[in-house]
Amino acid sequence: MSQLTKFCLVLIVLCALVFWNNPASATSENEDMPNLLQVNAWNANFGTSENYVEDSYKDFINTFPKGHVDKLKDSAGNVAGIVFYYYDQSSKGYGALYYDSTGKKMSPGCSNDLIFYDNYKGNGSSTTEEVKDDTQEENSEDESDEEVTDDTGTTYNDLLDVLEEDDTNEKGFSSSKECAKSLINGLPDRFRKDAVLVKATFKATGSTGKHLIRHCAGIETSDEGLVYIDSYSGKAGNGIDKRVTVLKAGQKWKAESACKSCSGDETGRYNRGKVLKVQEMDL
């Protein structure tokens, strides 16, 4: 065998090994998981239960046999919550929704001191697959609709869906800057990659001299361009996301509700007065 032939064989083997171990294969496996819309629809249909963690765990697996789910417990062994995973196109290839033992959504940060257990990663068992196959034809139209409305878009309405799931406005922050940075860092990659931190200096209505500063998030959308989101935090869950519709030096700051689950606030009580300067800042 010639040296050239040997070299070619070695090269082919190396290429095959690289392909086999490519991390993208893990991402492709995640594509069998339900997407965010499907998980949210399932959870809304499931509702509440006296034994939420155990009952939702079983129902999630029955509904999504190739889904991923974890239970959570505290250091004393008490059941504390559950995590449902969904497929997305981020670098990780998945996202996660956290709920406590009563079925109330909680922040991922609240799970730092909890223990993950009873991890289920879809095994596609024959019994579950048979149930899925029996209903495949009946639900084909619904599945097609879900594919069309996947959570990968970047329109303003897609952003509103993201804000609906985001809990930044339920937390307390020391400043509007920290609140805006938290909102940006919590965005999915498709929005976060082009997002900017915006600093607005303005003179509030009725002010006699002192200038005020407010930070908000500038988020690029495919249909309405750059939009400004001002997240008002509230420790009691009474925060609200505002879209700043006018943010230009020399004009009055104008905002409206951008949060489906919050009050409309059509009166614009958060309007800030005349804008003096607008700057994009480093995160």
Side-chain angles (χ1 to χ4, degrees):
M1 183 181 294
S2 67
Q3 291 295 326
L4 179 58
T5 302
K6 290 180 180 179
F7 174 77
C8 291
L9 288 173
V10 170
L11 184 61
I12 290 172
V13 171
L14 289 175
C15 289
L17 288 173
V18 170
F19 177 80
W20 182 262
N21 291 288
N22 193 326
S25 62
T27 302
S28 64
E29 289 178 4
N30 291 336
E31 292 178 359
D32 290 331
M33 296 164 58
N35 61 37
L36 178 59
L37 292 176
Q38 292 170 316
V39 174
N40 282 336
W42 164 82
N43 193 42
N45 183 65
F46 179 79
T48 58
S49 168
E50 190 172 324
N51 190 6
Y52 177 78
V53 170
E54 190 63 35
D55 292 343
S56 65
Y57 179 86
K58 293 177 181 178
D59 195 76
F60 185 84
I61 292 173
N62 287 334
T63 305
F64 305 114
K66 293 188 178 180
H68 296 185
V69 58
D70 281 319
K71 294 179 186 177
L72 300 171
K73 61 183 177 181
D74 59 26
S75 57
N78 300 311
V79 176
I82 192 166
V83 186
F84 305 111
Y85 298 91
Y86 59 88
Y87 169 71
D88 69 15
Q89 293 186 334
S90 66
S91 57
K92 294 191 301 182
Y94 67 91
L97 298 175
Y98 290 70
Y99 293 87
D100 65 18
S101 58
T102 66
K104 183 179 179 180
K105 190 174 181 181
M106 65 180 188
S107 168
C110 297
S111 67
N112 289 344
D113 297 325
L114 300 178
I115 301 168
F116 290 70
Y117 73 106
D118 272 4
N119 172 264
Y120 174 87
K121 290 188 176 181
N123 56 19
S125 64
S126 58
T127 302
T128 310
E129 286 293 352
E130 288 173 3
V131 172
K132 184 178 180 181
D133 289 342
D134 289 340
T135 59
Q136 183 173 0
E137 184 176 350
E138 178 183 343
N139 294 331
S140 60
E141 184 176 349
D142 294 337
E143 291 172 0
S144 176
D145 289 342
E146 289 173 349
E147 290 171 3
V148 172
T149 57
D150 199 0
D151 61 331
T152 57
T154 56
T155 66
Y156 180 61
N157 281 333
D158 291 321
L159 176 59
L160 290 182
D161 290 337
V162 170
L163 294 177
E164 179 73 4
E165 295 299 321
D166 178 77
D167 61 354
T168 299
N169 59 16
E170 298 175 9
K171 303 175 182 177
F173 295 91
S174 60
S175 67
S176 63
K177 181 178 181 179
E178 293 305 311
C179 187
K181 287 171 65 176
S182 178
L183 175 63
I184 292 173
N185 290 329
L187 292 170
D189 287 349
R190 64 186 190 277
F191 284 117
R192 184 175 63 246
K193 63 180 181 179
D194 295 320
V196 293
L197 178 66
V198 178
K199 175 183 177 182
T201 304
F202 62 93
K203 183 177 180 180
T205 303
S207 173
T208 57
K210 187 176 181 180
H211 294 166
L212 303 176
I213 292 174
R214 183 77 185 175
H215 291 82
C216 60
I219 306 171
E220 192 70 34
T221 63
S222 57
D223 57 344
E224 299 192 24
L226 186 67
V227 300
Y228 302 104
I229 301 298
D230 188 13
S231 187
Y232 287 80
S233 62
K235 292 182 179 180
N238 58 350
I240 186 171
D241 290 319
K242 306 290 292 182
R243 178 180 178 181
V244 184
T245 54
V246 178
L247 186 55
K248 187 175 182 179
Q251 296 188 24
K252 184 179 179 180
W253 167 304
K254 186 177 180 181
E256 63 185 24
S257 177
C259 182
K260 295 178 181 178
S261 62
C262 301
S263 59
D265 191 32
E266 292 86 356
T267 59
R269 63 178 179 271
Y270 289 116
N271 289 347
R272 291 276 167 176
K274 185 178 180 180
V275 177
L276 304 176
K277 184 166 56 174
V278 179
Q279 301 168 274
E280 291 187 3
M281 313 293 291
D282 292 331
L283 286 172

